[in-house]
PDB file of all heavy atoms in Angstrom:
ATOM      1  N   VAL A 374      -2.006  37.420  20.514  1.00 98.00           N
ATOM      2  CA  VAL A 374      -0.820  38.259  20.735  1.00 98.00           C
ATOM      3  C   VAL A 374       0.483  37.506  20.512  1.00 98.00           C
ATOM      4  O   VAL A 374       1.497  38.086  20.151  1.00 98.00           O
ATOM      5  CB  VAL A 374      -0.888  38.870  22.168  1.00 98.00           C
ATOM      6  CG1 VAL A 374       0.369  39.628  22.517  1.00 98.00           C
ATOM      7  CG2 VAL A 374      -2.107  39.789  22.277  1.00 98.00           C
ATOM      8  N   ARG A 376       2.672  35.374  18.267  1.00 98.00           N
ATOM      9  CA  ARG A 376       2.718  35.038  16.838  1.00 98.00           C
ATOM     10  C   ARG A 376       3.146  33.570  16.673  1.00 98.00           C
ATOM     11  O   ARG A 376       3.758  32.988  17.585  1.00 98.00           O
ATOM     12  CB  ARG A 376       3.694  35.949  16.111  1.00 98.00           C
ATOM     13  CG  ARG A 376       3.362  37.440  16.209  1.00 98.00           C
ATOM     14  CD  ARG A 376       4.286  38.240  15.278  1.00 98.00           C
ATOM     15  NE  ARG A 376       4.126  39.672  15.436  1.00 98.00           N
ATOM     16  CZ  ARG A 376       5.023  40.470  16.017  1.00 98.00           C
ATOM     17  NH1 ARG A 376       6.151  39.975  16.513  1.00 98.00           N
ATOM     18  NH2 ARG A 376       4.806  41.765  16.111  1.00 98.00           N
ATOM     19  N   ASP A 378       5.578  32.269  15.285  1.00 98.00           N
ATOM     20  CA  ASP A 378       7.023  32.012  15.454  1.00 98.00           C
ATOM     21  C   ASP A 378       7.506  32.222  16.883  1.00 98.00           C
ATOM     22  O   ASP A 378       8.705  32.128  17.159  1.00 98.00           O
ATOM     23  CB  ASP A 378       7.842  32.891  14.496  1.00 98.00           C
ATOM     24  CG  ASP A 378       7.725  34.384  14.815  1.00 98.00           C
ATOM     25  OD1 ASP A 378       6.985  34.741  15.759  1.00 98.00           O
ATOM     26  OD2 ASP A 378       8.370  35.188  14.124  1.00 98.00           O
ATOM     27  N   GLY A 379       6.584  32.525  17.788  1.00 98.00           N
ATOM     28  CA  GLY A 379       6.963  32.703  19.194  1.00 98.00           C
ATOM     29  C   GLY A 379       7.273  34.139  19.562  1.00 98.00           C
ATOM     30  O   GLY A 379       7.509  34.442  20.730  1.00 98.00           O
ATOM     31  N   SER A 380       7.291  35.037  18.584  1.00 98.00           N
ATOM     32  CA  SER A 380       7.469  36.456  18.931  1.00 98.00           C
ATOM     33  C   SER A 380       6.117  37.026  19.371  1.00 98.00           C
ATOM     34  O   SER A 380       5.069  36.404  19.180  1.00 98.00           O
ATOM     35  CB  SER A 380       8.041  37.240  17.749  1.00 98.00           C
ATOM     36  OG  SER A 380       7.086  37.372  16.719  1.00 98.00           O
ATOM     37  N   VAL A 381       6.177  38.214  19.961  1.00 98.00           N
ATOM     38  CA  VAL A 381       5.004  38.738  20.665  1.00 98.00           C
ATOM     39  C   VAL A 381       4.709  40.168  20.226  1.00 98.00           C
ATOM     40  O   VAL A 381       5.627  40.990  20.103  1.00 98.00           O
ATOM     41  CB  VAL A 381       5.282  38.708  22.194  1.00 98.00           C
ATOM     42  CG1 VAL A 381       4.161  39.361  22.972  1.00 98.00           C
ATOM     43  CG2 VAL A 381       5.487  37.278  22.676  1.00 98.00           C
ATOM     44  N   ILE A 382       3.434  40.452  20.034  1.00 98.00           N
ATOM     45  CA  ILE A 382       2.978  41.823  19.722  1.00 98.00           C
ATOM     46  C   ILE A 382       2.932  42.614  21.022  1.00 98.00           C
ATOM     47  O   ILE A 382       2.526  42.063  22.049  1.00 98.00           O
ATOM     48  CB  ILE A 382       1.553  41.737  19.109  1.00 98.00           C
ATOM     49  CG1 ILE A 382       1.593  41.013  17.761  1.00 98.00           C
ATOM     50  CG2 ILE A 382       0.902  43.107  19.014  1.00 98.00           C
ATOM     51  CD1 ILE A 382       0.229  40.503  17.308  1.00 98.00           C
ATOM     52  N   HIS A 383       3.308  43.894  20.990  1.00 98.00           N
ATOM     53  CA  HIS A 383       3.183  44.667  22.234  1.00 98.00           C
ATOM     54  C   HIS A 383       1.734  45.108  22.458  1.00 98.00           C
ATOM     55  O   HIS A 383       1.131  44.756  23.457  1.00 98.00           O
ATOM     56  CB  HIS A 383       4.115  45.895  22.235  1.00 98.00           C
ATOM     57  CG  HIS A 383       4.020  46.668  23.532  1.00 98.00           C
ATOM     58  ND1 HIS A 383       4.430  47.957  23.676  1.00 98.00           N
ATOM     59  CD2 HIS A 383       3.541  46.303  24.748  1.00 98.00           C
ATOM     60  CE1 HIS A 383       4.211  48.360  24.932  1.00 98.00           C
ATOM     61  NE2 HIS A 383       3.676  47.382  25.601  1.00 98.00           N
ATOM     62  N   ILE A 384       1.175  45.883  21.508  1.00 98.00           N
ATOM     63  CA  ILE A 384      -0.174  46.434  21.714  1.00 98.00           C
ATOM     64  C   ILE A 384      -1.114  45.870  20.667  1.00 98.00           C
ATOM     65  O   ILE A 384      -0.793  45.845  19.469  1.00 98.00           O
ATOM     66  CB  ILE A 384      -0.181  47.974  21.582  1.00 98.00           C
ATOM     67  CG1 ILE A 384       0.781  48.610  22.590  1.00 98.00           C
ATOM     68  CG2 ILE A 384      -1.597  48.525  21.766  1.00 98.00           C
ATOM     69  CD1 ILE A 384       0.952  50.127  22.413  1.00 98.00           C
ATOM     70  N   THR A 397      -2.760  46.140  15.266  1.00 98.00           N
ATOM     71  CA  THR A 397      -1.686  45.974  16.255  1.00 98.00           C
ATOM     72  C   THR A 397      -0.722  47.152  16.127  1.00 98.00           C
ATOM     73  O   THR A 397      -0.644  47.795  15.077  1.00 98.00           O
ATOM     74  CB  THR A 397      -0.902  44.655  16.044  1.00 98.00           C
ATOM     75  OG1 THR A 397      -0.165  44.738  14.821  1.00 98.00           O
ATOM     76  CG2 THR A 397      -1.828  43.459  16.018  1.00 98.00           C
ATOM     77  N   TYR A 398       0.003  47.408  17.210  1.00 98.00           N
ATOM     78  CA  TYR A 398       0.947  48.535  17.245  1.00 98.00           C
ATOM     79  C   TYR A 398       2.304  48.053  17.769  1.00 98.00           C
ATOM     80  O   TYR A 398       2.365  47.149  18.603  1.00 98.00           O
ATOM     81  CB  TYR A 398       0.452  49.630  18.196  1.00 98.00           C
ATOM     82  CG  TYR A 398      -0.918  50.193  17.873  1.00 98.00           C
ATOM     83  CD1 TYR A 398      -2.068  49.569  18.357  1.00 98.00           C
ATOM     84  CD2 TYR A 398      -1.053  51.351  17.116  1.00 98.00           C
ATOM     85  CE1 TYR A 398      -3.336  50.090  18.087  1.00 98.00           C
ATOM     86  CE2 TYR A 398      -2.308  51.883  16.837  1.00 98.00           C
ATOM     87  CZ  TYR A 398      -3.450  51.245  17.326  1.00 98.00           C
ATOM     88  OH  TYR A 398      -4.691  51.759  17.065  1.00 98.00           O
ATOM     89  N   GLY A 399       3.365  48.696  17.310  1.00 97.00           N
ATOM     90  CA  GLY A 399       4.710  48.342  17.790  1.00 97.00           C
ATOM     91  C   GLY A 399       4.953  48.773  19.227  1.00 97.00           C
ATOM     92  O   GLY A 399       5.825  48.239  19.900  1.00 97.00           O
ATOM     93  N   GLY A 400       4.202  49.756  19.699  1.00 97.00           N
ATOM     94  CA  GLY A 400       4.310  50.189  21.092  1.00 97.00           C
ATOM     95  C   GLY A 400       5.713  50.652  21.444  1.00 97.00           C
ATOM     96  O   GLY A 400       6.295  51.501  20.773  1.00 97.00           O
ATOM     97  N   GLN A 401       6.284  50.063  22.474  1.00 98.00           N
ATOM     98  CA  GLN A 401       7.599  50.495  22.946  1.00 98.00           C
ATOM     99  C   GLN A 401       8.748  49.858  22.151  1.00 98.00           C
ATOM    100  O   GLN A 401       9.916  50.082  22.441  1.00 98.00           O
ATOM    101  CB  GLN A 401       7.744  50.206  24.442  1.00 98.00           C
ATOM    102  CG  GLN A 401       6.951  51.215  25.284  1.00 98.00           C
ATOM    103  CD  GLN A 401       6.668  50.742  26.701  1.00 98.00           C
ATOM    104  OE1 GLN A 401       5.547  50.353  27.001  1.00 98.00           O
ATOM    105  NE2 GLN A 401       7.655  50.780  27.570  1.00 98.00           N
ATOM    106  N   GLY A 402       8.395  49.065  21.140  1.00 98.00           N
ATOM    107  CA  GLY A 402       9.411  48.462  20.289  1.00 98.00           C
ATOM    108  C   GLY A 402       9.754  49.339  19.098  1.00 98.00           C
ATOM    109  O   GLY A 402       9.407  50.524  19.043  1.00 98.00           O
ATOM    110  N   TYR A 403      10.430  48.747  18.097  1.00 98.00           N
ATOM    111  CA  TYR A 403      10.901  49.491  16.929  1.00 98.00           C
ATOM    112  C   TYR A 403       9.753  49.951  16.037  1.00 98.00           C
ATOM    113  O   TYR A 403       9.757  51.053  15.495  1.00 98.00           O
ATOM    114  CB  TYR A 403      11.871  48.605  16.148  1.00 98.00           C
ATOM    115  CG  TYR A 403      12.410  49.247  14.900  1.00 98.00           C
ATOM    116  CD1 TYR A 403      13.255  50.351  14.976  1.00 98.00           C
ATOM    117  CD2 TYR A 403      12.061  48.752  13.641  1.00 98.00           C
ATOM    118  CE1 TYR A 403      13.749  50.952  13.835  1.00 98.00           C
ATOM    119  CE2 TYR A 403      12.548  49.345  12.491  1.00 98.00           C
ATOM    120  CZ  TYR A 403      13.383  50.445  12.585  1.00 98.00           C
ATOM    121  OH  TYR A 403      13.866  51.032  11.466  1.00 98.00           O
ATOM    122  N   GLY A 404       8.756  49.115  15.878  1.00 97.00           N
ATOM    123  CA  GLY A 404       7.631  49.505  15.025  1.00 97.00           C
ATOM    124  C   GLY A 404       6.641  48.358  14.867  1.00 97.00           C
ATOM    125  O   GLY A 404       6.829  47.273  15.416  1.00 97.00           O
ATOM    126  N   THR A 405       5.587  48.614  14.084  1.00 96.00           N
ATOM    127  CA  THR A 405       4.574  47.582  13.873  1.00 96.00           C
ATOM    128  C   THR A 405       5.228  46.322  13.304  1.00 96.00           C
ATOM    129  O   THR A 405       6.023  46.410  12.370  1.00 96.00           O
ATOM    130  CB  THR A 405       3.494  48.098  12.900  1.00 96.00           C
ATOM    131  OG1 THR A 405       3.026  49.349  13.390  1.00 96.00           O
ATOM    132  CG2 THR A 405       2.328  47.126  12.792  1.00 96.00           C
ATOM    133  N   GLY A 406       4.902  45.180  13.883  1.00 96.00           N
ATOM    134  CA  GLY A 406       5.467  43.914  13.400  1.00 96.00           C
ATOM    135  C   GLY A 406       6.813  43.577  14.017  1.00 96.00           C
ATOM    136  O   GLY A 406       7.371  42.514  13.766  1.00 96.00           O
ATOM    137  N   SER A 407       7.338  44.479  14.845  1.00 98.00           N
ATOM    138  CA  SER A 407       8.655  44.206  15.439  1.00 98.00           C
ATOM    139  C   SER A 407       8.507  43.363  16.704  1.00 98.00           C
ATOM    140  O   SER A 407       7.434  42.804  16.976  1.00 98.00           O
ATOM    141  CB  SER A 407       9.406  45.514  15.703  1.00 98.00           C
ATOM    142  OG  SER A 407       8.893  46.153  16.854  1.00 98.00           O
ATOM    143  N   SER A 408       9.566  43.284  17.479  1.00 98.00           N
ATOM    144  CA  SER A 408       9.603  42.322  18.580  1.00 98.00           C
ATOM    145  C   SER A 408      10.340  42.949  19.771  1.00 98.00           C
ATOM    146  O   SER A 408      11.526  42.716  19.992  1.00 98.00           O
ATOM    147  CB  SER A 408      10.313  41.058  18.061  1.00 98.00           C
ATOM    148  OG  SER A 408      10.494  40.127  19.067  1.00 98.00           O
ATOM    149  N   TRP A 409       9.604  43.752  20.515  1.00 98.00           N
ATOM    150  CA  TRP A 409      10.132  44.477  21.682  1.00 98.00           C
ATOM    151  C   TRP A 409      10.562  43.464  22.744  1.00 98.00           C
ATOM    152  O   TRP A 409       9.739  42.682  23.217  1.00 98.00           O
ATOM    153  CB  TRP A 409       9.038  45.403  22.204  1.00 98.00           C
ATOM    154  CG  TRP A 409       9.338  46.161  23.450  1.00 98.00           C
ATOM    155  CD1 TRP A 409      10.455  46.893  23.723  1.00 98.00           C
ATOM    156  CD2 TRP A 409       8.475  46.293  24.598  1.00 98.00           C
ATOM    157  NE1 TRP A 409      10.346  47.472  24.973  1.00 98.00           N
ATOM    158  CE2 TRP A 409       9.148  47.119  25.530  1.00 98.00           C
ATOM    159  CE3 TRP A 409       7.203  45.811  24.924  1.00 98.00           C
ATOM    160  CZ2 TRP A 409       8.594  47.459  26.761  1.00 98.00           C
ATOM    161  CZ3 TRP A 409       6.649  46.147  26.146  1.00 98.00           C
ATOM    162  CH2 TRP A 409       7.350  46.970  27.050  1.00 98.00           C
ATOM    163  N   SER A 410      11.839  43.501  23.115  1.00 98.00           N
ATOM    164  CA  SER A 410      12.336  42.395  23.956  1.00 98.00           C
ATOM    165  C   SER A 410      11.682  42.350  25.328  1.00 98.00           C
ATOM    166  O   SER A 410      11.432  41.269  25.855  1.00 98.00           O
ATOM    167  CB  SER A 410      13.865  42.444  24.090  1.00 98.00           C
ATOM    168  OG  SER A 410      14.276  43.635  24.716  1.00 98.00           O
ATOM    169  N   GLY A 412       8.663  43.134  26.030  1.00 98.00           N
ATOM    170  CA  GLY A 412       7.356  42.514  25.802  1.00 98.00           C
ATOM    171  C   GLY A 412       7.482  40.996  25.728  1.00 98.00           C
ATOM    172  O   GLY A 412       6.642  40.252  26.258  1.00 98.00           O
ATOM    173  N   GLN A 413       8.557  40.515  25.087  1.00 98.00           N
ATOM    174  CA  GLN A 413       8.757  39.064  25.001  1.00 98.00           C
ATOM    175  C   GLN A 413       8.980  38.506  26.407  1.00 98.00           C
ATOM    176  O   GLN A 413       8.481  37.445  26.763  1.00 98.00           O
ATOM    177  CB  GLN A 413       9.939  38.680  24.094  1.00 98.00           C
ATOM    178  CG  GLN A 413      10.168  39.549  22.855  1.00 98.00           C
ATOM    179  CD  GLN A 413       8.987  39.622  21.895  1.00 98.00           C
ATOM    180  OE1 GLN A 413       8.601  38.634  21.286  1.00 98.00           O
ATOM    181  NE2 GLN A 413       8.408  40.805  21.760  1.00 98.00           N
ATOM    182  N   TYR A 442      12.030  31.333  21.335  1.00 98.00           N
ATOM    183  CA  TYR A 442      12.268  32.447  20.410  1.00 98.00           C
ATOM    184  C   TYR A 442      13.272  33.428  21.022  1.00 98.00           C
ATOM    185  O   TYR A 442      14.232  33.866  20.364  1.00 98.00           O
ATOM    186  CB  TYR A 442      10.930  33.139  20.094  1.00 98.00           C
ATOM    187  CG  TYR A 442      11.097  34.466  19.410  1.00 98.00           C
ATOM    188  CD1 TYR A 442      11.390  34.537  18.052  1.00 98.00           C
ATOM    189  CD2 TYR A 442      11.001  35.646  20.133  1.00 98.00           C
ATOM    190  CE1 TYR A 442      11.581  35.769  17.425  1.00 98.00           C
ATOM    191  CE2 TYR A 442      11.185  36.870  19.528  1.00 98.00           C
ATOM    192  CZ  TYR A 442      11.472  36.926  18.176  1.00 98.00           C
ATOM    193  OH  TYR A 442      11.661  38.140  17.581  1.00 98.00           O
ATOM    194  N   ILE A 455      17.012  46.055  22.506  1.00 98.00           N
ATOM    195  CA  ILE A 455      15.683  46.561  22.893  1.00 98.00           C
ATOM    196  C   ILE A 455      14.605  45.885  22.055  1.00 98.00           C
ATOM    197  O   ILE A 455      13.518  45.574  22.539  1.00 98.00           O
ATOM    198  CB  ILE A 455      15.579  48.093  22.717  1.00 98.00           C
ATOM    199  CG1 ILE A 455      16.561  48.796  23.644  1.00 98.00           C
ATOM    200  CG2 ILE A 455      14.154  48.574  22.980  1.00 98.00           C
ATOM    201  CD1 ILE A 455      16.528  50.312  23.550  1.00 98.00           C
ATOM    202  N   ASP A 456      14.924  45.680  20.782  1.00 98.00           N
ATOM    203  CA  ASP A 456      13.950  45.050  19.896  1.00 98.00           C
ATOM    204  C   ASP A 456      14.691  44.030  19.038  1.00 98.00           C
ATOM    205  O   ASP A 456      15.737  44.337  18.466  1.00 98.00           O
ATOM    206  CB  ASP A 456      13.272  46.120  19.021  1.00 98.00           C
ATOM    207  CG  ASP A 456      12.013  45.584  18.352  1.00 98.00           C
ATOM    208  OD1 ASP A 456      12.096  44.528  17.683  1.00 98.00           O
ATOM    209  OD2 ASP A 456      10.957  46.214  18.507  1.00 98.00           O
ATOM    210  N   PHE A 457      14.159  42.825  18.958  1.00 98.00           N
ATOM    211  CA  PHE A 457      14.841  41.766  18.202  1.00 98.00           C
ATOM    212  C   PHE A 457      14.658  41.931  16.691  1.00 98.00           C
ATOM    213  O   PHE A 457      15.267  41.191  15.920  1.00 98.00           O
ATOM    214  CB  PHE A 457      14.337  40.385  18.639  1.00 98.00           C
ATOM    215  CG  PHE A 457      14.676  40.040  20.071  1.00 98.00           C
ATOM    216  CD1 PHE A 457      13.738  39.448  20.907  1.00 98.00           C
ATOM    217  CD2 PHE A 457      15.938  40.309  20.582  1.00 98.00           C
ATOM    218  CE1 PHE A 457      14.052  39.123  22.225  1.00 98.00           C
ATOM    219  CE2 PHE A 457      16.272  39.996  21.903  1.00 98.00           C
ATOM    220  CZ  PHE A 457      15.321  39.401  22.721  1.00 98.00           C
ATOM    221  N   ARG A 458      13.787  42.852  16.286  1.00 98.00           N
ATOM    222  CA  ARG A 458      13.615  43.127  14.851  1.00 98.00           C
ATOM    223  C   ARG A 458      13.817  44.616  14.610  1.00 98.00           C
ATOM    224  O   ARG A 458      12.860  45.352  14.366  1.00 98.00           O
ATOM    225  CB  ARG A 458      12.223  42.708  14.393  1.00 98.00           C
ATOM    226  CG  ARG A 458      12.089  41.215  14.371  1.00 98.00           C
ATOM    227  CD  ARG A 458      10.756  40.744  13.902  1.00 98.00           C
ATOM    228  NE  ARG A 458      10.675  39.312  14.124  1.00 98.00           N
ATOM    229  CZ  ARG A 458       9.568  38.647  14.349  1.00 98.00           C
ATOM    230  NH1 ARG A 458       8.409  39.289  14.362  1.00 98.00           N
ATOM    231  NH2 ARG A 458       9.595  37.344  14.547  1.00 98.00           N
ATOM    232  N   SER A 459      15.073  45.033  14.753  1.00 97.00           N
ATOM    233  CA  SER A 459      15.410  46.443  14.577  1.00 97.00           C
ATOM    234  C   SER A 459      16.772  46.490  13.898  1.00 97.00           C
ATOM    235  O   SER A 459      17.472  45.475  13.846  1.00 97.00           O
ATOM    236  CB  SER A 459      15.453  47.127  15.952  1.00 97.00           C
ATOM    237  OG  SER A 459      16.424  46.515  16.769  1.00 97.00           O
ATOM    238  N   PRO A 460      17.175  47.668  13.377  1.00 97.00           N
ATOM    239  CA  PRO A 460      18.484  47.744  12.700  1.00 97.00           C
ATOM    240  C   PRO A 460      19.632  47.324  13.613  1.00 97.00           C
ATOM    241  O   PRO A 460      19.550  47.494  14.832  1.00 97.00           O
ATOM    242  CB  PRO A 460      18.595  49.233  12.349  1.00 97.00           C
ATOM    243  CG  PRO A 460      17.200  49.756  12.367  1.00 97.00           C
ATOM    244  CD  PRO A 460      16.441  48.934  13.342  1.00 97.00           C
ATOM    245  N   TYR A 526      12.170  51.754  22.501  1.00 98.00           N
ATOM    246  CA  TYR A 526      13.158  51.916  21.426  1.00 98.00           C
ATOM    247  C   TYR A 526      13.417  53.387  21.127  1.00 98.00           C
ATOM    248  O   TYR A 526      14.500  53.757  20.708  1.00 98.00           O
ATOM    249  CB  TYR A 526      12.682  51.201  20.154  1.00 98.00           C
ATOM    250  CG  TYR A 526      13.787  51.085  19.125  1.00 98.00           C
ATOM    251  CD1 TYR A 526      14.673  50.009  19.155  1.00 98.00           C
ATOM    252  CD2 TYR A 526      13.980  52.068  18.159  1.00 98.00           C
ATOM    253  CE1 TYR A 526      15.717  49.912  18.250  1.00 98.00           C
ATOM    254  CE2 TYR A 526      15.021  51.987  17.247  1.00 98.00           C
ATOM    255  CZ  TYR A 526      15.877  50.903  17.299  1.00 98.00           C
ATOM    256  OH  TYR A 526      16.915  50.817  16.403  1.00 98.00           O
ATOM    257  N   ASN A 527      12.413  54.226  21.386  1.00 97.00           N
ATOM    258  CA  ASN A 527      12.525  55.625  20.975  1.00 97.00           C
ATOM    259  C   ASN A 527      12.793  56.617  22.087  1.00 97.00           C
ATOM    260  O   ASN A 527      12.987  57.798  21.831  1.00 97.00           O
ATOM    261  CB  ASN A 527      11.246  56.042  20.233  1.00 97.00           C
ATOM    262  CG  ASN A 527      11.135  55.295  18.925  1.00 97.00           C
ATOM    263  OD1 ASN A 527      12.082  55.269  18.149  1.00 97.00           O
ATOM    264  ND2 ASN A 527      10.000  54.645  18.695  1.00 97.00           N
TER     265      ASN A 527
END
Side-chain angles (χ1 to χ4, degrees):
V374 174
R376 301 188 187 108
D378 66 358
S380 70
V381 174
I382 295 162
H383 182 199
I384 302 173
T397 68
Y398 302 86
Q401 284 161 256
Y403 179 67
T405 308
S407 77
S408 175
W409 176 49
S410 62
Q413 324 302 294
Y442 167 78
I455 297 180
D456 195 307
F457 295 137
R458 289 181 189 151
S459 60
Y526 192 87
N527 293 310

